[in-house]
Amino acid sequence: MISEPIVVTQHLFHTYQSGAISKDALIDINLEIARGSCVAIIGVTGSGKSTLVQHFNGLLRPTQGSVLVDGIDVGASGVDLRALRQRVGMLFQFPEGQLFERSIFADVAFGPQRMKLGRHEVRARVIASLDTVGLPCHEYGKRSPFDLSGGQRRRVALAGVLAMLPHVLILDEPTVGLDADGRAEFYTYLRRAQELQGVTIILVSHDMAEVASLADQLFVLHDGHLVMQGTPRSIFSESERLRQYGLAAPPLGELLALLRTGGLAIPEEIF
Ligand code: ADP
């Protein structure tokens, strides 16, 4: 039991029904996510990851069982989906594809404006969130998002979500398609967002090195079941079981490099 979980699922089942065909995509999922933590949901394609996270912002409702997010019962009739979606931000795959405004400022301001905040509040949020992702407003605000590199554009998309001050941020394969530098930068700014805003981060990822470097806690899904949960260290020490679920612990060299980047003093002779 976690003292102050922000997400709790109890006996969560989800069944997709189309005509006579039904598919049990989630089977009796029980989990808790601590407020302010960074967790990752991992598993091969089709294991149920996106079905699970779509319950966290109310895109899907439980077929059975319950999902509580920041005190909101997602399955309740009459649930305030607007309130839920303001608290739960979502960055989809390749989010830079959704940038469309003429300026970076306008793009980041889009979400807060839709929340009907005052002009000064919108401006303050845009400035703060562009700062968080390392693209200071005075330098980048007036530029077009299309002048930026792929990695920078993705950080603009991240700033747009952060500007809504979500309590929970869900990221689906956040660094897919970026080069090594773009990935490292994205992680840096994500960590900064976590520190500055205290936002709880939920990653959906295939990339074991990514989850090893970022997440405090991992949840492994396999065929709709939650089959393992624990720290990256404990999960990766069970490499045989991971292989059964179609996953592999990150290559050791890569892991050591990441831990060193993260500030651990691991002697160079250790490989
Ligand atoms: P993942 O995100 O791990 O790839 P999904 O949650 O997308 O897994 O899918 C879990 C299972 O549910 C898969 O077998 C998938 O084919 C099935 N599924 C997903 N979406 C639908 C849908 N809209 N209708 C029917 N089956 C679906």
Side-chain angles (χ1 to χ4, degrees), residues 18-189:
S18 51
I21 302 165
S22 72
K23 164 78 197 170
D24 296 324
L26 295 176
I27 299 147
D28 201 13
I29 305 289
N30 295 285
L31 58 78
E32 293 191 349
I33 295 173
R35 192 178 287 275
S37 64
C38 174
V39 307
I41 319 256
I42 59 180
V44 297
T45 303
S47 57
K49 304 179 298 295
S50 62
T51 303
L52 178 61
V53 298
Q54 286 180 69
H55 284 81
F56 299 161
N57 74 347
L59 278 174
L60 290 175
R61 305 285 192 95
T63 304
Q64 235 187 84
S66 67
V67 179
L68 268 181
V69 179
D70 208 13
I72 299 177
D73 181 349
V74 175
S77 58
V79 60
D80 186 351
L81 286 176
R82 245 180 94 89
L84 180 67
R85 292 193 187 134
Q86 282 186 6
R87 293 186 207 187
V88 183
M90 194 142 183
L91 204 65
F92 294 97
Q93 281 186 26
F94 297 101
E96 60 276 18
Q98 289 166 32
L99 300 177
F100 56 87
E101 296 281 356
R102 276 206 330 250
S103 74
I104 290 170
F105 185 98
D107 250 313
V108 177
F110 181 75
Q113 276 163 351
R114 283 212 320 183
M115 292 166 75
K116 308 243 183 322
L117 301 167
R119 205 159 51 87
H120 293 291
E121 176 65 17
V122 170
R123 189 173 168 74
R125 287 189 182 201
V126 173
I127 291 171
S129 53
L130 279 174
D131 249 352
T132 303
V133 302
L135 299 167
C137 191
H138 58 85
E139 205 175 316
Y140 290 92
K142 291 195 173 122
R143 290 171 58 181
S144 159
F146 303 103
D147 292 341
L148 303 180
S149 71
Q152 288 173 322
R153 279 211 293 278
R154 201 164 296 183
R155 279 149 54 199
V156 172
L158 174 63
V161 180
L162 292 174
M164 294 189 273
L165 296 183
H167 296 180
V168 179
L169 174 59
I170 301 172
L171 303 109
D172 189 359
E173 303 278 356
T175 59
V176 68
L178 298 183
D179 62 16
D181 287 346
R183 282 208 301 271
E185 276 168 7
F186 192 88
Y187 300 152
T188 303
Y189 295 113

